[in-house]
Structure formats: structure tokens, C-alpha cells
Amino acid sequence: MRHPRALQTRLIRESIDRLKAQDPPLAAGSVEASARRYSDTDWLSRETGTIFRNEPQYLGLAGEIPDAGDYMTRELPGVSLLAVRGKDQQIRAFRNRCRHRGTRVAEGEGKARRFTCPYHAWTYGLDGILASVPEACHFDTVEPGVDGLCPVPILEWAGMLFFLPPGTDEATARARLHPIVSELEGFDFHAYRSRRTFSTGKPTNWKLGVDTFLEAYHVPVLHARTIGRTLVGGFALYEPLQPHARLVAPRRPILDLTEEQITSDPLHRHAIIVYRIFPNTVIVSMETHAEIHRFNPVQGQPNRMTWDLTVAASPLGQSLDIDWDRILDLAAGVVEREDLVMMAQIQANLDSEGPESTVTFGRNEPALQDFHAEIDQAMGEPEPLRRPEEGLPAALAAR
Ligand code: FES
Ligand SMILES: [Fe+2]
């Protein structure tokens, strides 16, 4: 399925109309949110015990492992995963955990004919089955050819791989992902190929990583010398695709498009499209490539996260002579040297201020309000944050 033409035209036209009318999408009111959601250990353990136990989680692109023997590893909250494409072209995922005593059998990503554990050299095939055990006579409870790595369920859809935690069945996962993946199906992600990856730890809550992508208010200020030069200042179209969302940040020339361009050009020629996939993934889609960010919680430490970034080339990007080191440096650099510097300062303040502290999500930050309301709902919070489209409480409306 192609990205529906009608949707692209609608989003280009709506961007132009709203920009001309100075009418950005707004929430009903601003929201004060407790800092506990960023700094409280109990809050984090409830998130990992609900959201990260029950929701499908983006793992990577199938195009990161396009050929038999290609593999990638991922650290997800509470589980270390290995995904590998078999000789039959099927992608399978396993716990990255040796059947012997629990060492990781693979690191990073690459190509393998088999996986040999670095500790005592137990060896597994691409299908995860234990192929050989040195001095096997000492292991009468283990059966090579039968035992192996522990398989974990994944879902491949629209060229994307999702991990299904133990509390999730495939039908539920599909229903949960449908609002966004049915749209992403039109983007040819199955044909994207990974060009660069990057992973690091940061001293912030995982949600602060997601937050940086959910409003354009900061772009003309914090990013004045980088991406702020090419984007229309402070403006983003936002639509919830619950529990996910889409933002469209137009580039400056969008106001000069002809009717023919509006009805025939790809949307991401004239805008950056940001897809937030619940709970912790952000896809920044451009014409030549996508930057895919995952912000993972660190168990027991609300003020730490790990951040993975994959730069994947679109079919157009693959046909051009692009300096991918430069693209990765731009993508990672803006987030690391600009956004995450702010986030680390926020986290430090919230940590020292304690649970009574609050942060504010403005009317011009509806996607932030929506994300945090989704978190609250998925956690079963008794008093979830107000949705951006919900009316103001009477006391505030009277002000
Ligand atoms: S832990 Fe893997 S072979 Fe011993
Ligand atoms: Fe930013």
C-alpha cells in the first residue's frame, strides 16, 4: 500500500492554511503535571510493570537484517533480545541468554552462521537450536538438537519488528498498533535499509527523550542555529493516533507551493513527519531517510535512560550518494548537544525538588499533553492527566 495520496495532500494543505491563518492546533488549556512521573522510583516500577509488560514494543526494522544470518541485539526493559534472519528468510527472536549459564551469545549487530557463546562455547544455529556442547557428556539434562535459546514472540508488520511481552497476544498487539502502523504501511519501511546505529546512556528519565520531539515551541529557540533554520518556527500539525501520534513540522518553503505540488509531491519533501509509537519510540521521517529513536527506561533508576538511534535509508536515499556519517552526526548531534542538555538540567532540578514539584504543558504543546495522558491511562493512574481535547475544569475556565 502506498502512503495514501489524499492524506498527504490534506496534511500539506492543512499546514499551509493553518500557517497563513496563524491557527496552530491547540489544547483546551495548559496542564500542570507532577514531577513524580520523571523522578519517582515507584512511578517507574509501575510503568515497567504495566506499560512495558503489556504493550508491544518497537524492536527495529526488518531491513536492518535483510539477509540470512543477519542479526541484531536489543536491550529492552527487563529483557535482552537477539533477532536473526534464518536461512528460510524468517526473522526469529530469542532471549540473548545462553542456555548454559546465561551469558549473552551475541553483541551489537552483524552477520553470523551460528552463535557461539564466549564463555564455554556452546553453539546455536540461526534457528536458536543448540548445535553443539563441548564435553557434552557432562550435561545429561541438556539435549543438543532439541534445546536452545528461549524464543520470544515478535510481530513483523509494515517492515517493522515489534516485541510482544508475555502479557501481549498478537491480536491485541495488532489492534493496539493499528492506528499508526496502518498509516506507516504506506511508507515503504520494508524497503528501508539501516545505515548507521548509535546507542548511549543518558542521565534523564526515558520520557524526557520522547518529550523533546513532541512540541515545536522550542525549535526556534534551542535549535536556532541547526534545524530551526529550515523549519517554520514553532509550528507543528498534531494528530493523535491513539495511543500513538503524528506531528508534521513544515519546512519554510511550504508556503510557496503550487497547487500541483500540493496535490502530487510527497509530504516529507516539504515537512519532517514525526511518528510517536507508544510507548518509547519516535520515528523522524524525511524523504531520504528516517531517524528512529528509542528511549528505554533503566530499571530502578528513574533518572537514567538508554537511547538508541538508527538511521535508515529510504529507497530514494539508497539511490543517492549520501554521507551517512554526516547524517548520523546531524541527527544524534542535535538531540545530544541541544535537546538532551536541557533534559539533563530538567531531570537534575526535578530530582532535587522532590514530589511536590510540577512541570507545565502549554496549550501549544498538545502532543505532550496527549503522550502523558496515554502513559497515565496505560498505567491505570486513578487521576490521569487531562487530554488536550478535553474541556477545562470549570474553575479554570472561569479565569
Ligand atoms: S554460559 Fe554460555 S557456554 Fe557457558
Ligand atoms: Fe528538539
Side-chain angles (χ1 to χ4, degrees), residues 211-216 218-219 222-223 227 334-335 338-340 343:
D211 287 355
T212 61
F213 291 91
L214 298 185
E215 41 90 2
H218 73 284
V219 171
L222 182 63
H223 302 310
I227 53 169
V334 167
V335 177
E338 297 179 0
D339 294 295
L340 292 182
M343 298 302 135

Side-chain angles (χ1 to χ4, degrees), residues 63-117:
E64 293 179 60
I65 44 174
D67 300 316
D70 290 347
Y71 71 88
M72 59 180 169
T73 62
R74 292 286 186 271
E75 300 307 308
L76 269 54
V79 58
S80 177
L81 288 185
L82 164 65
V84 55
R85 193 180 289 269
K87 291 183 189 135
D88 57 359
Q89 292 301 315
Q90 273 287 113
I91 296 176
R92 297 178 179 82
F94 308 96
R95 284 183 180 270
N96 189 5
R97 180 198 190 285
C98 182
R99 169 75 173 74
H100 182 208
R101 286 228 291 284
T103 314
R104 289 187 197 151
V105 298
E107 296 286 345
E109 46 227 329
K111 194 179 226 7
R113 290 169 57 200
R114 61 187 73 84
F115 297 102
T116 300
C117 179

Side-chain angles (χ1 to χ4, degrees), residues 152-174:
V152 296
I154 54 169
L155 171 63
E156 184 175 348
W157 190 0
M160 300 182 169
L161 304 173
F162 296 92
F163 164 60
L164 306 186
T168 322
D169 63 74
E170 185 174 326
T172 311
R174 280 188 179 274

